[in-house]
Amino acid sequence: MTNFNVRIEDGLAARFDAWAAGRGGRSPALRHLIETACRPAGGGPAGERLDPRPVKLTVRLSARYSAGLSALAAEFGLTPNAWVAALVRRAVQGRPTFRRADELLLIAIAGEVRRIGVNLNQMARALNTAVLEGRVLHTQLVAVGDFRRELRAHLTGLLEAFEGNLSYWSTDL
């Protein structure tokens, strides 16, 4: 992500901050102005509301706890601030946070589940419209059973991933 720095007079900065206060703060207002300036002619609604500025929370930790937090966050691939935010999200909403590598695995599993679902739909359609007897019907039923077992294994993997993640973020000590 690119960072823009600009130097302006204090008075102008104060006036801009006053204007930006009702639009989510300095950074969201500047992002909105840049997006508006770069929008193609006639594109997008004007005057849309900006995302509000997130609440900032300051926590003071001893050096020992700070080092522990840094180690936990690094192990998870997050900054200490992001790690604490994930912990709060889990405690307040029950929402998990995954490592990027785990997110990619979950996306791959979702793709496999979708592929299996498409195949099952095609087979079900074929079985509903065709009159099958003997060996052909048996082959189709075996394939449906195989897909069912594969789908169950992927869903079990997803469930284990979510349970493990929620357990990691559990605030029950």
Side-chain angles (χ1 to χ4, degrees):
M1 184 173 277
T2 301
N3 185 24
F4 283 88
N5 291 313
V6 63
R7 296 174 54 90
I8 57 176
E9 294 176 4
D10 291 340
L12 180 57
R15 290 195 321 267
F16 181 79
D17 285 342
W19 175 82
R23 293 166 177 80
R26 186 183 286 174
S27 290
L30 283 169
R31 276 193 301 276
H32 179 71
L33 287 173
I34 292 168
E35 287 170 0
T36 301
C38 296
R39 185 179 296 151
E48 57 205 41
R49 183 81 178 135
L50 303 175
D51 291 336
R53 172 181 266 171
V55 175
K56 181 178 180 180
L57 176 67
T58 302
V59 178
R60 296 185 189 278
L61 300 173
S62 68
R64 180 176 147 228
Y65 287 123
S66 178
L69 172 60
S70 294
L72 284 170
E75 177 184 305
F76 209 76
L78 297 173
T79 64
N81 284 345
W83 192 93
V84 171
L87 180 63
V88 170
R89 231 184 348 268
R90 165 62 174 109
V92 173
Q93 298 178 337
R95 196 173 116 201
T97 298
F98 291 96
R99 294 178 180 97
R100 183 63 183 148
D102 294 339
E103 285 178 349
L104 294 174
L105 289 173
L106 290 170
I107 290 168
I109 290 171
E112 288 298 307
V113 168
R114 183 183 177 288
R115 178 190 63 79
I116 294 166
V118 168
N119 287 339
L120 281 174
N121 278 339
Q122 290 172 347
M123 292 174 80
R125 221 177 267 124
L127 287 172
N128 283 332
T129 59
V131 178
L132 302 174
E133 295 180 16
R135 187 171 174 87
V136 174
L137 177 59
H138 177 72
T139 302
Q140 292 297 317
L141 291 175
V142 167
V144 168
D146 289 344
F147 280 125
R148 183 172 173 246
R149 281 185 290 283
E150 187 179 350
L151 183 59
R152 181 164 284 146
H154 284 300
L155 291 175
T156 300
L158 279 173
L159 180 62
E160 289 171 358
F162 279 101
E163 285 175 349
N165 185 277
L166 292 176
S167 174
Y168 176 85
W169 295 108
S170 176
T171 55
D172 300 331
L173 301 175

